[in-house]
Amino acid sequence: MRAARLIKMVLLLQSRPSMTGAELARELEVSERTVTRDAQALIEAGVPVYADRGRTGGYRLVGGYRTRLTGLARGEAEALFLSGVPGALREMGLEDAASAARLKVSAALLPSLRDASRTAAQRFHLDAPAWFSEPRAPELLPAVAEAVWDDRRITARYRRGAAEVERALEPYGLVLKAGVWYLCARVPEAGTFRVYRIDRFMAVDGCGDRFGRDEEFDLPGFWEGRAEEFARSILRAEVVVRVSPTGVRRLPYVVDPASVREALSVGSTPDDTGWVTLTLAVESEEVAHTQFLGLGPEVEILSPAPLRARFAGDTARLAALYDRPHP
């Protein structure tokens, strides 16, 4: 356990000019006192760790010290080659760079580990897009990706409804969600971060100046919060339903899972037949009609009345279809 932590500490210091004891403690999930002891252990082992004292002090490696990748275990090496998303790299125009990097890492590994890329690829494959969709990489994605890597401002013209809008953006990060590419960018004139679908971009001018990146910006955290906010924003209607035990199991595959969890936490107790009454947040009555059709006889719409009447009409039409003799 400690050996792995010491290796991680060296790699952290190798990747940054210096780190404070508090930063290392947070990254290594230990106390600052443990960081001090680990630094002393590294010094005794011949690793040139230097500690600057004082309020602005910290730990750093001196003399251009670099460690080799000979300490990787087989599982770690295989996990390293699983970290890429081949399709996404290709769409961003980074396939050649990623291939070259994998070759360099392979060359640095011990001979016994150089088949890690092959063994990992034979066992795991990531296919990000959803079923029954034909994802197409936006033509402007490579230009946007280049600006993201280079911290360079862009001017983007994109569709917003029936209109076209042009806006200066500071591109912070890209997100691939269910086969759709999104750009998380800061709008300088507003001072806020927003999300844009790249397939709605009509033109991108990436010849802008470099911008100073806010190092506190957390792309995964920002996306998680924005995605949750978006999901909540579109659930503007409510329906009351009775659902069978089978329907309850299938419900998260039909409507928003978070809405299902919330409804079940405050729903009624099951009746004698196991059916429960739930109030569910949905996008609209129209969307709910399409979604609940997938549950068939495992759900009964109680309200709103127009939606219940619509299902009653569907039921009557189905009965008429199946009551007549097979042609």
Side-chain angles (χ1 to χ4, degrees), residues 106-131:
S106 294
L109 291 172
L110 290 172
S112 61
L113 299 178
R114 289 178 185 169
D115 66 339
S117 62
R118 182 178 58 83
T119 58
Q122 287 175 339
R123 288 163 174 79
F124 300 98
H125 175 68
L126 175 62
D127 185 9
W131 287 105

Side-chain angles (χ1 to χ4, degrees), residues 289 293 307-321:
H289 175 255
L293 278 175
L307 185 60
R308 180 178 174 87
R310 191 168 179 178
F311 271 86
D314 293 336
T315 304
R317 290 171 58 200
L318 282 171
L321 283 174

Side-chain angles (χ1 to χ4, degrees), residues 19-65:
M19 295 183 70
T20 65
E23 289 172 337
L24 282 168
R26 185 166 56 251
E27 291 282 354
L28 299 171
E29 299 181 347
V30 295
S31 66
E32 291 189 44
R33 181 172 297 181
T34 299
V35 169
T36 302
R37 290 198 296 265
D38 286 352
Q40 185 60 39
L42 288 171
I43 293 171
E44 293 172 0
V47 178
V49 177
Y50 182 79
D52 291 314
R53 301 188 181 279
R55 293 182 61 187
T56 60
Y59 296 89
R60 59 187 174 89
L61 294 174
V62 297
Y65 180 85

Side-chain angles (χ1 to χ4, degrees), residues 172-228:
Y172 268 68
L174 292 168
V175 175
L176 176 61
K177 170 71 171 179
V180 179
W181 284 97
Y182 296 88
L183 171 67
C184 301
R186 182 177 180 271
V187 182
E189 61 186 30
T192 58
F193 287 91
R194 299 177 186 175
V195 177
Y196 300 87
R197 277 186 60 146
I198 297 179
D199 58 6
R200 293 179 182 167
F201 282 6
M202 309 294 290
V204 171
D205 181 358
C207 298
D209 298 330
R210 284 188 172 88
F211 62 90
R213 174 178 284 268
D214 180 359
E215 297 300 333
E216 298 297 320
F217 179 76
D218 173 24
L219 179 60
F222 170 78
W223 176 260
E224 182 179 357
R226 190 54 59 91
E228 182 178 348

Side-chain angles (χ1 to χ4, degrees), residues 78-133:
E78 290 174 343
L80 177 65
F81 286 102
L82 282 173
S83 61
V85 186
L89 292 170
R90 183 173 58 253
E91 292 174 3
M92 288 189 291
L94 298 173
E95 185 176 25
D96 291 342
S99 177
R102 285 193 292 269
L103 287 173
K104 290 177 181 179
V105 172
S106 294
L109 291 172
L110 290 172
S112 61
L113 299 178
R114 289 178 185 169
D115 66 339
S117 62
R118 182 178 58 83
T119 58
Q122 287 175 339
R123 288 163 174 79
F124 300 98
H125 175 68
L126 175 62
D127 185 9
W131 287 105
F132 312 118
S133 62

Side-chain angles (χ1 to χ4, degrees), residues 239-309:
V239 296
V240 181
V241 296
R242 285 182 68 245
V243 192
S244 72
T246 299
V248 169
R249 290 193 297 271
R250 291 167 51 188
L251 204 53
Y253 302 98
V254 175
V255 296
D256 178 62
S259 177
V260 174
R261 289 194 299 270
E262 186 175 343
L264 288 171
S265 69
V266 296
S268 68
T269 56
D271 62 18
D272 294 340
T273 59
W275 286 57
V276 294
T277 300
L278 303 174
T279 301
L280 288 160
V282 295
E283 185 173 345
S284 66
E285 289 186 24
E286 183 67 32
V287 172
H289 175 255
T290 301
Q291 291 172 325
F292 286 113
L293 278 175
L295 290 179
E298 306 302 332
V299 64
E300 177 189 2
I301 307 297
L302 300 180
S303 70
L307 185 60
R308 180 178 174 87

